Amino acid sequence: MWVKDKPCAAQKHCGISEVQLLCLPDKLLVVTVATKETDGFRRFLRSAKHFNYTVKVLGRGQKWKGGDYMSAPGGGQKVKLLKAALEKMKDKEKIILFIDSYDVVFASGPKELLKKFQQARHKVVFSSETLIWPDRHLEDKYPHVREGNRFLGSGGFIGYLPNIKEMVTGWDGENHESDQLFFTKLYINPEKRKAVNMTIDSKCRLFQNLHGALDEVVLKFEDGRVRARNVLYDTLPVIIHGNGPTKRLYSFFVALQESEYPLVVIGIFIQQPTPFVTVFFERLLKLRYPKNRLKLFIYNQEPHHEQQVSSFLHDYGNLYQDVKFIGPEEEMDSATSRNVGFDMCRQDKDCEYFFNLDIEVVLKNEDTLKIVVEQNLPIVAPMITRVGRLWSNFWGALSAEGYYARSEDYVDIVQGRRLGVWNVPYVSSVFLVKGSLLRSELSEHDLFTSDVLDPDMAFCDKVRSKILYLRPCFLIKMYFTFLTPNGVFMYATNMHTFGRILSTENYETQHLHNDLWQIFENTLDWEERYIHENYTRIMKDKLIETPCPDVYWFPIFSDIACNHLVEEMEHFGQWSGGGNKDTRIQGGYENVPTIDIHMNQVGYEKEWHKLLLDYVAPITEKMYPGYYTKAQFDLAFVVRYKPDEQPSLRPHHDASTFTINIALNEVGHDYQGGGCRFLRYNCSIQAPRKGWALMHPGRLTHYHEGLPTTAGVRYIAVSFVDP
């Protein structure tokens, strides 16, 4: 309970007539029933404290016998507790606000509440509903209203102590009987309604029930405050009572000491062919969390990824406290695998968290696991998004049918204009679940199983639909919040940048290194994997060198890109014979032949063109002022030089405006000799750097030759641009 430290600031200026209520806010007492302290109840108390309400809690520590509100009406225990508490109160000027607590928050303070209560001009005011419950046959007996909701909601009412005492005097029902039906029958009886002097808040000026009002309520962010606004009646409710699907914000942090890392089971799920799986495991290794406090559960449904998983487990599996692996041969479906993953944590008394991590998640933040553990929340997801889209791994709201709906602030959250820890109705792909939750409220072994829903939706639906104490509802505090009936909340945090999610659409698996083909679908991931780490510094740090006149040398490919391209070509294996006759090109004759494989032979011409357009053309236009290119090419190919095959290439001009020549392996390590000599300038590059590109004019001025490779095998990638 909190008692205000200061009297009403206006009290000394007030009489005791019209503004009496505003001057005597200490006459207001908030009464609620809470038999168990849930997240929702604690949030309610924070909300009350923030706005300086005085709260009296009934039923603490008692067993709830008031029913579950979902399978049948209930709540009589609340009325019984209220009646007993009121009998001890004697102050006739006392104003009682009786509200639920698991699913209610305050949006404003006592002064506004009392003013609106006074304006209602009745002694008792109930919240209103758009839908009738629990007996629809009573609809005709409800009095009509000129505008607003007709039906009474028992989740909140405010009134003078004597009138509320008179109202509950007639209660003699059992704990499991319906409080809603009891108050409804009072209200629809004209004589009793008049005797108590009761009405309903039909335009939601005091109370906003969210059930059936999804389209009526929006959040308004103004002057640093968040308020729920009923757009149908243009009102700003003081009390928000959730009993319908929505999403709102909630935020608090609990710090953890570095030495107190809890045991976490990380569940990794591979359900379809996915790009950059090797990179996923590299990032997993980089998570800043003690590996001896981690256990791994790895489910791989995709034979295509068996080698990558087995390689990781062989090299690094012993770093973790334990590893459980389920492969394609076990033919386990996705929902069952996730249930089994939860069981691994549920059955381990030392497991404090289960960290769900789908293979398509790109965790760039190496502190992600530590950050979400420090939230100390039952279920929390680090927000990730898909590059260039508004897709994220949480839903901002639910439709009336329980499917995706966009909340008013969803875009601001996804784009980072609003930061916080957001209470949400759905999370997927990457999220943390408390182990204690899996052993209590979520102890069922089939949380992901459903005949009609996908596993992720089935899980979230079951979390939302758990029933323990009061009917399901939603809360809005000074921050706004989504509530599930049993106090099990799901959250998403965007307080940090965590990463993104890959697109698995159009992922080809017929190549050796399929990730090379992801330049269109997952451009950023492709760039991080295959473009040289210094490429973005080329201009800023003046990394472009000029080894010969009008020849420019700059980094473009990573070592991995070079290795993958060489391995891809060798895997394809259809090297040309090095003769003049060449059916692959127009005319069928090559004047200066090489032993090579063309990009179009391996289906890489579109990807190669994008590489030239996005990464080479900007350099070209800087180095050759006034020249603009669309990076068109007729020939782009990988050349192989070997002493016993084709060691060198005779002097020639290229059929291009400019040529790109990228070294794909390392002189001195992979081969000896090699290089390029420009005869007109008597200038040679004899130690080309792996991953660096030589760019030079093709026709007229830069007559050149390939110097002999004396040992090993040399590979280069050549493009004749703008022929």
Side-chain angles (χ1 to χ4, degrees):
M1 178 185 295
W2 297 284
V3 178
K4 291 178 281 298
D5 298 326
K6 299 178 181 179
C8 171
Q11 185 168 347
K12 60 184 179 181
H13 303 294
C14 299
I16 57 173
S17 55
E18 292 185 354
V19 292
Q20 182 178 15
L21 294 179
L22 304 184
C23 299
L24 298 174
D26 286 329
K27 291 293 185 180
L28 174 67
L29 177 65
V30 179
V31 180
T32 189
V33 173
T35 58
K36 180 181 179 181
E37 288 200 10
T38 66
D39 279 349
F41 175 69
R42 286 185 286 269
R43 181 196 44 213
F44 166 79
L45 292 183
R46 283 191 292 271
S47 167
K49 186 175 182 179
H50 176 78
F51 288 109
N52 211 16
Y53 284 94
T54 301
V55 180
K56 182 177 182 62
V57 181
L58 308 178
R60 270 182 166 165
Q62 296 185 21
K63 183 178 180 180
W64 177 251
K65 301 176 182 179
D68 60 23
Y69 275 104
M70 294 295 287
S71 60
Q77 186 176 356
K78 292 195 303 179
V79 186
K80 182 178 181 180
L81 289 169
L82 175 64
K83 181 179 178 181
L86 294 179
E87 288 174 355
K88 301 176 183 179
M89 300 181 189
K90 306 301 181 183
D91 186 352
K92 295 182 179 181
E93 294 183 355
K94 179 73 71 177
I95 298 171
I96 303 297
L97 171 64
F98 187 67
I99 50 176
D100 292 346
S101 55
Y102 296 140
D103 52 5
V104 169
V105 291
F106 292 99
S108 188
K111 183 176 179 179
E112 181 178 340
L113 177 69
L114 291 171
K115 179 179 180 180
K116 291 180 175 179
F117 170 53
Q118 182 190 42
Q119 291 170 345
R121 300 185 183 279
H122 284 76
K123 299 296 185 180
V124 177
V125 179
F126 272 81
S127 69
S128 66
E129 299 267 13
T130 60
L131 304 174
I132 187 170
W133 184 83
D135 187 353
R136 62 183 179 85
H137 298 98
L138 297 177
E139 179 176 356
D140 292 341
K141 296 184 178 181
Y142 264 90
H144 288 277
V145 296
R146 180 179 302 176
E147 183 182 10
N149 301 328
R150 283 183 63 196
F151 308 116
L152 176 144
S154 66
F157 56 84
I158 184 171
Y160 288 95
L161 176 61
N163 301 77
I164 294 180
K165 275 187 175 182
E166 180 179 353
M167 184 173 66
V168 301
T169 298
W171 173 264
D172 57 3
E174 300 295 328
N175 287 335
H176 65 274
E177 293 184 27
S178 173
D179 64 329
Q180 173 77 21
L181 190 59
F182 171 72
F183 291 122
T184 295
K185 289 182 176 179
L186 282 176
Y187 179 67
I188 63 177
N189 185 312
E191 294 180 359
K192 293 182 179 179
R193 184 169 70 245
K194 183 177 180 179
V196 176
N197 194 3
M198 62 191 297
T199 188
I200 63 171
D201 179 30
S202 59
K203 293 185 180 180
C204 305
R205 301 181 73 245
L206 290 87
F207 305 93
Q208 176 66 65
N209 290 311
L210 297 180
H211 183 47
L214 290 177
D215 297 330
E216 300 174 13
V217 182
V218 299
L219 297 183
K220 301 301 293 182
F221 302 94
E222 297 174 353
D223 302 323
R225 291 192 64 195
V226 184
R227 288 293 299 266
R229 176 171 174 256
N230 187 305
V231 295
L232 186 61
Y233 307 121
D234 195 22
T235 55
L236 294 173
V238 178
I239 297 159
I240 311 300
H241 179 195
N243 45 356
T246 188
K247 182 281 319 140
R248 301 299 179 241
L249 162 69
Y250 173 59
S251 175
F252 71 87
F253 296 90
V254 178
L256 284 177
Q257 297 296 322
E258 287 288 330
S259 61
E260 297 175 341
Y261 288 95
L263 179 65
V264 180
V265 172
I266 300 180
I268 298 166
F269 298 91
I270 309 174
Q271 300 177 155
Q272 68 279 317
T274 305
F276 304 108
V277 168
T278 299
V279 182
F280 172 92
F281 284 114
E282 290 172 0
R283 290 199 173 103
L284 180 67
L285 287 167
K286 292 179 181 178
L287 282 179
R288 284 194 277 262
Y289 202 97
K291 291 180 175 54
N292 63 358
R293 301 299 297 158
L294 296 175
K295 294 184 178 184
L296 299 183
F297 173 86
I298 301 178
Y299 164 74
N300 177 30
Q301 190 179 13
E302 180 50 54
H304 174 71
H305 293 306
E306 283 189 284
Q307 188 277 328
Q308 292 155 310
V309 176
S310 61
S311 177
F312 168 76
L313 292 178
H314 177 269
D315 295 339
Y316 304 107
N318 62 342
L319 298 178
Y320 297 89
Q321 189 179 122
D322 190 21
V323 176
K324 179 179 178 66
F325 173 63
I326 297 175
E329 69 281 356
E330 298 192 38
E331 298 183 346
M332 182 180 292
D333 63 75
S334 174
T336 302
S337 72
R338 294 178 186 273
N339 291 329
V340 172
F342 270 11
D343 279 344
M344 182 173 174
C345 178
R346 185 181 286 122
Q347 295 167 6
D348 183 349
K349 62 180 177 59
D350 295 324
C351 175
E352 295 187 52
Y353 293 95
F354 183 91
F355 189 47
N356 185 97
L357 189 58
D358 289 357
I359 197 70
E360 59 267 28
V361 172
V362 179
L363 281 187
K364 294 285 291 178
N365 191 328
E366 295 175 3
D367 290 317
T368 295
L369 182 54
K370 184 171 71 172
I371 290 169
V372 292
V373 166
E374 286 176 347
Q375 304 306 301
N376 195 31
L377 295 171
I379 301 174
V380 59
M383 189 191 78
I384 57 172
T385 60
R386 184 161 290 161
V387 176
R389 303 183 186 179
L390 289 175
W391 186 98
S392 71
N393 64 322
F394 77 92
W395 290 356
L398 295 177
S399 68
E401 294 76 26
Y403 292 95
Y404 171 82
R406 180 176 291 182
S407 59
E408 183 182 1
D409 54 353
Y410 176 82
V411 174
D412 285 341
I413 295 171
V414 170
Q415 295 182 343
R417 291 192 292 268
R418 298 193 62 80
L419 301 177
V421 182
W422 309 88
N423 194 213
V424 297
Y426 169 91
V427 295
S428 67
S429 301
V430 51
F431 55 89
L432 188 78
V433 183
K434 275 191 173 182
S436 59
L437 192 65
L438 297 177
R439 290 184 283 271
S440 55
E441 286 92 337
L442 301 181
S443 60
E444 297 94 322
H445 296 274
D446 61 348
L447 291 172
F448 291 91
T449 304
S450 170
D451 293 332
V452 296
L453 298 174
D454 291 338
D456 55 340
M457 292 183 64
F459 168 66
C460 293
D461 179 70
K462 289 177 182 179
V463 170
R464 294 193 305 267
S465 62
K466 286 290 176 182
I467 304 160
L468 290 181
Y469 300 98
L470 294 177
R471 59 174 169 260
C473 42
F474 298 73
L475 306 183
I476 303 177
K477 180 182 177 261
M478 47 195 164
Y479 311 105
F480 284 77
T481 311
F482 177 96
L483 173 69
T484 55
N486 62 347
V488 178
F489 291 177
M490 292 177 283
Y491 300 89
T493 173
N494 67 341
M495 293 293 291
H496 302 77
T497 299
F498 295 102
R500 56 186 178 268
I501 192 163
L502 294 168
S503 170
T504 57
E505 300 172 7
N506 306 315
Y507 184 58
E508 301 178 358
T509 58
Q510 69 266 33
H511 309 288
L512 178 65
H513 294 294
N514 298 283
D515 295 346
L516 280 168
W517 275 257
Q518 287 294 298
I519 190 171
F520 290 104
E521 199 69 40
N522 291 289
T523 304
L524 184 57
D525 299 270
W526 185 94
E527 179 178 299
E528 290 179 352
R529 186 66 163 167
Y530 292 128
I531 294 300
H532 197 286
E533 62 181 356
N534 292 331
Y535 175 82
T536 56
R537 298 172 44 227
I538 284 177
M539 295 303 176
K540 178 183 176 182
D541 295 344
K542 300 179 180 179
L543 298 182
I544 298 178
E545 300 179 19
T546 309
C548 298
D550 286 325
V551 176
Y552 300 102
W553 203 12
F554 56 90
I556 188 166
F557 268 166
S558 67
D559 277 4
I560 292 174
C562 296
N563 297 343
H564 282 191
L565 192 56
V566 168
E567 291 166 8
E568 193 67 45
M569 294 303 181
E570 287 291 1
H571 178 73
F572 180 72
Q574 298 180 27
W575 296 94
S576 66
N580 296 108
K581 184 178 180 180
D582 192 342
T583 58
R584 299 172 302 170
I585 62 175
Q586 187 176 3
Y589 183 84
E590 173 58 66
N591 188 43
V592 186
T594 54
I595 293 178
D596 55 48
I597 295 175
H598 291 185
M599 296 298 177
N600 60 10
Q601 289 181 263
V602 294
Y604 204 64
E605 65 274 24
K606 291 180 180 178
E607 289 75 11
W608 194 258
H609 177 252
K610 183 170 176 60
L611 165 74
L612 296 176
L613 191 63
D614 290 356
Y615 301 98
V616 173
I619 308 299
T620 304
E621 293 167 6
K622 289 285 187 181
M623 296 298 101
Y624 300 121
Y627 180 76
Y628 301 96
T629 177
K630 293 184 178 179
Q632 301 297 324
F633 63 88
D634 286 339
L635 290 177
F637 48 94
V638 172
V639 179
R640 184 174 71 185
Y641 290 112
K642 295 171 66 174
D644 59 350
E645 190 176 67
Q646 181 184 7
S648 60
L649 189 63
R650 66 178 178 82
H652 62 284
H653 283 293
D654 292 336
S656 67
T657 301
F658 68 93
T659 295
I660 297 296
N661 179 335
I662 305 173
L664 297 179
N665 57 349
E666 185 179 352
V667 64
H669 182 271
D670 301 308
Y671 65 92
Q672 301 293 331
C676 181
R677 177 172 176 257
F678 295 93
L679 280 69
R680 180 175 182 176
Y681 306 105
N682 192 27
C683 179
S684 299
I685 298 98
Q686 293 183 313
R689 300 167 191 159
K690 183 178 180 181
W692 282 55
L694 281 174
M695 181 172 65
H696 61 83
R699 295 186 178 89
L700 298 179
T701 57
H702 283 63
Y703 193 58
H704 60 284
E705 64 180 335
L707 300 175
T709 298
T710 57
V713 183
R714 178 190 177 208
Y715 298 93
I716 59 174
V718 178
S719 304
F720 295 161
V721 185
D722 296 342

